[in-house]
Amino acid sequence: MEISTRNVGEVTVVDISGSLDTHTSGAASDEIGKVVGSTGKMLLNLENLEFLSSAGLRVFLRTAKQQKGSGGVIKVCSATGVVKEVMEISGFGSLLDLHDSESDALAAF
């Protein structure tokens, strides 16, 4: 799993790649936690995320609660394949603001 951040205008984009599972969720939570609260607008880009387990879903839920708790906004984009399927089946589509592409998500801020 790799996490990198970049700014697109006022939005901090967090790119997550690889697998987000029990083995990587702690490190992912720590890395994403460095950004939470330091930006008003956060976008989790899952374009290169290949696998997502329930531990990874907990990271997203925790991140969303922390970001909203600090008065910020969070969106998620570009989930594909099994990652998109896991998010839809688990009901995360109703919990998080999901977008098909980064450009759609950025326009929605």
Side-chain angles (χ1 to χ4, degrees):
M1 180 231 21
E2 287 187 34
I3 296 178
S4 61
T5 60
R6 56 192 164 88
N7 292 319
V8 178
E10 297 178 349
V11 179
T12 300
V13 179
V14 179
D15 295 301
I16 306 172
S17 62
S19 294
L20 187 50
D21 55 25
T22 302
H23 302 291
T24 60
S25 63
S29 186
D30 292 344
E31 282 299 309
I32 297 170
K34 294 175 185 177
V35 179
V36 171
S38 66
T39 180
K41 299 175 182 177
M42 178 189 292
L43 174 60
L44 300 178
N45 186 326
L46 309 182
E47 181 176 12
N48 295 310
L49 188 63
E50 299 167 0
F51 180 79
L52 178 66
S53 73
S54 60
L57 289 172
R58 283 191 299 276
V59 171
F60 293 157
L61 184 59
R62 184 179 314 116
T63 299
K65 286 182 178 181
Q66 290 172 336
Q67 181 70 3
K68 290 176 182 178
S70 68
V73 178
I74 187 169
K75 298 186 184 303
V76 179
C77 73
S78 304
T80 60
V82 69
V83 172
K84 184 175 185 177
E85 187 177 331
V86 167
M87 293 187 81
E88 289 172 350
I89 289 172
S90 64
F92 270 65
S94 63
L95 297 173
L96 298 173
D97 191 3
L98 303 177
H99 296 270
D100 290 333
S101 69
E102 183 175 304
S103 60
D104 289 345
L106 290 170
F109 275 104

